[in-house]
Amino acid sequence: MNNNNIRNFSIIAHIDHGKSTLADRLLEYTGALTAREMQSQFLDKMDLERERGITIKAQTVRLNYEADDGTVYVLNLIDTPGHVDFTYEVSRSLAACEGGLLVVDASQGVEAQTLANVYLALDNDLEVFPVLNKIDLPAAEPERVKQEIEEIIGIDAHDAVLASAKEGIGTREILEEIVKKIPPPAGDPAAPLKALLFDSWYDQYQGVIILVRIFDGTLKKGDKILLHSTGRAYEALKVGVFAPSMIEVPQLSAGEVGFVIAGIKEVADARVGDTVTLFHNRCATPLAGFKEVKPMVFSGLYPIDTSQYEQLRDALAKLKLNDSSFSYEPETSVALGFGFRCGFLGLLHMEIIQERLEREFSLDLITTAPTVVYKIHKTDGELLEIESASRMPEPQYIDTIEEPFILAHIHVPNDFVGGVLALCEEKRGMQREIKYLTPTRVMVVYELPLNEIVLDFYDRLKSLTKGYASLDYEHLDFRPSDLVRMNILINGEVVDALSLIVHRDKAYFRGRDLVSKMKELIPRQMFEVAIQAAIGNKVIARETVKALRKDVLAKCYGGDISRKRKLLEKQKEGKKRMKNVGNVELPQEAFLAILKVE
Ligand code: GTP
């Protein structure tokens, strides 16, 4: 294939600015999908994605487009996931392209996510050109948004295409721009194979399917390929492209994008960012930018109905097949029974997996409050990585503790800046920058501990800005921090399942809050129950549940036996859901008050 006729590009957009709708239009216009086949938003494969309107897994298509110059071009549209948790995946998809369409909603303007992804594109040396979408909306202000793009992003927007993906306006112009503005791919088809693996997933019938962009060399069916990071070799059983359905081709060569099926058993063996080469004719150096992604946020998942445990285990195994960045291991909890401790890239990733478990696998789950990874440097020199308080060593064995920090970019209308700053300060943030992007829009940049973000940061940000704030974050580093293990004691006994890792400055308030919540939920017993929050030996908060004076039957003097029986049965029923801590009976709700996500 003549490389001059190939264009590899991505669509960069903030969530909801119309990326999927535009992709559909491009597919439809180039005849990749006939109107009858056209299922709205072809690129968002999973139901969940469609329902939530977000793209989770990248999907790539090859389009044939006959341009005004009479040439038929091959356009490879490389879809990218649209959320902060998948920044690494986005960066690898972008690395597979020469250009990007920056789609901005003409009634909204530039958002934090837009900016983050444009920078990723520019870092990857992509030719980026703007498209103003939704110009059919009465609220569209293309001139203002053009100016915003120029001021904030610093790219020329004066001749940005005005489009409405919904109404099909501007589709041909966009295709012409792709052909004219984006450079064709370079690369030597005769050199040793060097291909970027930028996506992989598990298919029930075909095993792992990988998507590659060939930078140098040629890949043919039957070739013995080698994955650089694992050093494992496989035979390329099928080589092809999505157009948009799977079509086998004899070979893929430098500049092209396509899929390979090579009998790879697990997606964990086909890591995004890896270099694919030929076993017998290897490229000298792998492609730059490969990273191993690690879970950063953890939470416990427990079936509400204990009989669903096996089902939950099977479901997790199935999800893991397709998602190497997600991890799980069995865990038991005094309060919740048997479940799993799961690791996710970030909060959205966590939410997606939980929702899929509940929806696709019909499981009812209790989710414990998310936690992050801490690095503990012990006095004996050992380094521990823990994500739950129960694994934290006694204070005398700890030298320092480090916690993960993120860099958050928050875009917000200027009316809400005060509230956002107060929230970031409350969350132990350190301000890096406040910048007026336009007279009414502000970018607030903070360094924040991830531990504070996982609880309720995003929800509070959204509510205090009436939904106008957009947030983007990246992981920075681990930093030493004054973190302590806070224990909850019931009548002097530590309840392991309820221990938390908190910052010392926050411990007092958190402790007060928790014990008073628990006081409300623990029923009165025959004796007094003391609920305490403590750091080491020091009690920082205490509440008391007074002893019960009357028993439940006291009210029914003599007479009505059936009423008595009913009351006793009710009491027994309640007891079933109680857990004993020492001689105190705690209802599950009291545990959930601390463990569960609101
Ligand atoms: P993610 O998949 O989350 O990245 O979102 P997206 O950017 O793909 O947005 P999507 O295409 O799902 O569009 C979001 C919403 O905007 C949908 O309700 C679309 O119908 C609507 N929309 C997209 N393009 C236009 C347009 O040109 N005009 C109008 N009025 N609405 C549009």
Side-chain angles (χ1 to χ4, degrees):
M1 186 179 296
N2 181 354
N3 274 8
N4 283 329
N5 299 346
I6 302 177
R7 299 291 182 273
N8 299 317
F9 71 102
S10 271
I11 304 178
I12 301 162
H14 185 72
I15 288 168
D16 270 355
H17 283 202
K19 185 172 79 176
S20 312
T21 315
L22 179 63
D24 285 350
R25 279 292 101 72
L26 299 180
L27 262 70
E28 192 185 41
Y29 193 92
T30 55
L33 288 183
T34 62
R36 197 166 53 83
E37 286 169 336
M38 182 89 188
Q39 189 189 5
S40 171
Q41 305 204 338
F42 179 83
L43 289 177
D44 284 353
K45 264 192 305 196
M46 291 188 279
D47 276 357
L48 180 64
E49 290 189 353
R50 197 162 299 155
E51 222 164 275
R52 296 173 63 111
I54 50 166
T55 313
I56 299 165
K57 208 81 191 114
Q59 166 84 332
T60 292
V61 280
R62 172 188 280 205
L63 312 169
N64 292 311
Y65 169 63
E66 186 176 348
D68 288 351
D69 64 10
T71 311
V72 176
Y73 289 88
V74 168
L75 310 181
N76 291 309
L77 164 55
I78 294 172
D79 197 18
T80 54
H83 190 274
V84 291
D85 290 346
F86 304 101
T87 304
Y88 172 69
E89 281 80 355
V90 175
S91 87
R92 294 306 83 206
S93 293
L94 293 175
C97 307
E98 278 76 31
L101 264 63
L102 168 61
V103 175
V104 182
D105 182 333
S107 67
Q108 303 279 335
V110 176
E111 299 286 345
Q113 186 69 47
T114 322
L115 209 58
N117 285 346
V118 173
Y119 289 149
L120 277 179
L122 296 174
D123 283 350
N124 281 297
D125 293 325
L126 263 57
E127 187 63 45
V128 176
F129 66 88
V131 171
L132 300 187
N133 190 32
K134 307 200 188 182
I135 53 149
D136 59 293
L137 291 178
E141 295 178 89
E143 287 312 312
R144 174 182 71 79
V145 174
K146 274 186 193 175
Q147 209 181 340
E148 218 176 89
I149 294 173
E150 295 197 342
E151 281 170 13
I152 300 173
I153 301 174
I155 59 174
D156 185 3
H158 82 276
D159 61 353
V161 182
L162 301 184
S164 165
K166 193 172 166 195
E167 299 190 349
I169 302 169
T171 314
R172 184 158 185 102
E173 277 141 282
I174 293 171
L175 289 163
E176 281 298 310
E177 295 269 295
I178 291 170
V179 166
K180 288 192 191 117
K181 291 202 169 147
I182 298 175
D188 177 3
L193 179 68
K194 189 186 248 188
L196 171 68
L197 191 167
F198 65 89
D199 194 10
S200 67
W201 67 90
Y202 185 82
D203 181 276
Q204 207 180 333
Y205 305 104
Q206 323 234 33
V208 173
I209 300 176
I210 62 175
L211 290 183
V212 292
R213 154 71 199 268
I214 317 276
F215 281 93
D216 277 323
T218 301
L219 172 58
K220 290 192 282 293
K221 182 172 172 166
D223 279 344
K224 192 169 180 187
I225 58 169
L226 180 81
L227 293 184
H228 189 269
S229 79
T230 59
R232 294 206 186 136
Y234 304 89
E235 186 191 337
L237 304 169
K238 281 185 190 173
V239 173
V241 297
F242 284 93
S245 38
M246 277 178 128
I247 298 174
E248 282 193 62
V249 297
Q251 63 174 49
L252 291 170
S253 60
E256 290 191 272
V257 170
F259 71 81
V260 183
I261 295 171
I264 302 173
K265 294 279 182 298
E266 292 178 37
V267 281
D269 293 331
R271 299 182 200 163
V272 168
D274 205 352
T275 302
V276 183
T277 187
L278 290 183
F279 188 75
H280 295 296
N281 184 15
R282 302 179 191 192
C283 57
T285 49
L287 293 155
F290 175 69
K291 248 191 351 194
E292 231 174 285
V293 288
K294 275 192 183 167
M296 291 301 285
V297 174
F298 291 82
S299 89
L301 296 182
Y302 292 85
I304 288 177
D305 176 354
T306 48
S307 70
Q308 284 195 332
Y309 178 79
E310 301 287 319
Q311 245 172 295
L312 174 59
R313 195 184 55 200
D314 294 347
L316 290 170
K318 273 199 189 122
L319 290 182
K320 172 80 186 161
L321 271 181
N322 239 328
D323 187 345
S324 53
S325 48
F326 152 69
S327 69
Y328 67 97
E329 59 183 59
E331 178 183 68
T332 42
S333 151
V334 185
L336 306 173
F338 292 98
F340 295 90
R341 183 124 203 107
C342 304
F344 312 93
L345 292 176
L347 283 179
L348 182 93
H349 189 208
M350 178 172 91
E351 233 178 82
I352 291 167
I353 295 218
Q354 285 162 4
E355 259 193 70
R356 291 190 60 187
L357 289 169
E358 299 201 338
R359 192 178 304 198
E360 292 168 34
F361 298 92
S362 311
L363 295 163
D364 289 322
L365 301 172
I366 291 174
T367 306
T368 65
T371 59
V372 303
V373 186
Y374 299 96
K375 288 188 176 171
I376 300 196
H377 298 269
K378 286 174 60 186
T379 45
D380 64 4
E382 194 190 347
L383 173 68
L384 285 182
E385 293 200 1
I386 60 158
E387 83 291 318
S388 86
S390 61
R391 296 190 195 165
M392 190 156 160
E394 294 298 322
Q396 65 268 29
Y397 301 117
I398 299 175
D399 184 24
T400 45
I401 305 181
E402 291 183 297
E403 64 175 329
F405 268 71
I406 58 153
L407 185 66
H409 285 87
I410 301 164
H411 282 213
V412 65
N414 59 345
D415 298 349
F416 301 116
V417 172
V420 171
L421 296 185
L423 176 65
C424 290
E425 292 295 327
E426 181 198 319
K427 298 291 188 184
R428 300 192 280 126
M430 275 166 291
Q431 196 183 99
R432 268 225 195 153
E433 197 183 351
I434 299 184
K435 192 171 162 190
Y436 273 77
L437 298 173
T438 71
T440 55
R441 292 178 53 78
V442 184
M443 178 173 75
V444 177
V445 186
Y446 260 84
E447 291 174 9
L448 286 152
L450 182 62
N451 150 327
E452 300 282 345
I453 302 295
V454 294
L455 272 184
D456 58 354
F457 184 83
Y458 193 60
D459 291 340
R460 284 185 54 196
L461 180 69
K462 280 284 175 196
S463 73
L464 77 88
T465 60
K466 301 203 168 77
Y468 281 114
S470 61
L471 166 75
D472 183 64
Y473 71 80
E474 61 189 278
H475 292 288
L476 275 180
D477 47 16
F478 280 82
R479 296 181 189 174
S481 196
D482 192 6
L483 296 161
V484 291
R485 170 175 169 165
M486 183 169 82
N487 290 323
I488 300 290
L489 292 81
I490 303 290
N491 277 358
E493 205 169 312
V494 174
V495 188
D496 230 14
L498 298 183
S499 300
L500 295 170
I501 298 175
V502 286
H503 194 268
R504 194 183 297 275
D505 296 347
K506 295 255 169 142
Y508 177 76
F509 293 103
R510 199 68 191 278
R512 279 232 60 79
D513 187 43
L514 290 184
V515 296
S516 64
K517 235 191 231 164
M518 286 189 72
K519 182 189 172 186
E520 300 305 316
L521 294 166
I522 296 179
R524 294 168 76 180
Q525 325 230 344
M526 299 307 290
F527 43 84
E528 211 174 72
V529 178
I531 313 159
Q532 297 168 305
I535 299 171
N537 295 327
K538 197 170 149 230
V539 174
I540 54 171
R542 178 194 164 112
E543 290 281 355
T544 308
V545 181
K546 293 250 161 57
L548 196 63
R549 258 175 279 139
K550 298 177 207 146
D551 69 274
V552 284
L553 301 183
K555 271 194 208 135
C556 345
Y557 8 86
D560 190 352
I561 183 73
S562 70
R563 180 162 156 73
K564 244 184 220 172
R565 196 171 294 140
K566 238 189 223 159
L567 277 170
L568 283 170
E569 262 163 25
K570 215 164 141 201
Q571 201 184 38
K572 214 160 92 195
E573 182 89 335
K575 273 199 176 140
K576 268 196 255 162
R577 280 180 285 118
M578 298 282 185
K579 311 274 171 186
N580 282 323
V581 172
N583 56 355
V584 183
E585 287 180 333
L586 296 185
Q588 198 175 42
E589 291 76 41
F591 284 95
L592 290 183
I594 295 186
L595 296 175
K596 211 183 140 187
V597 198
E598 294 291 314

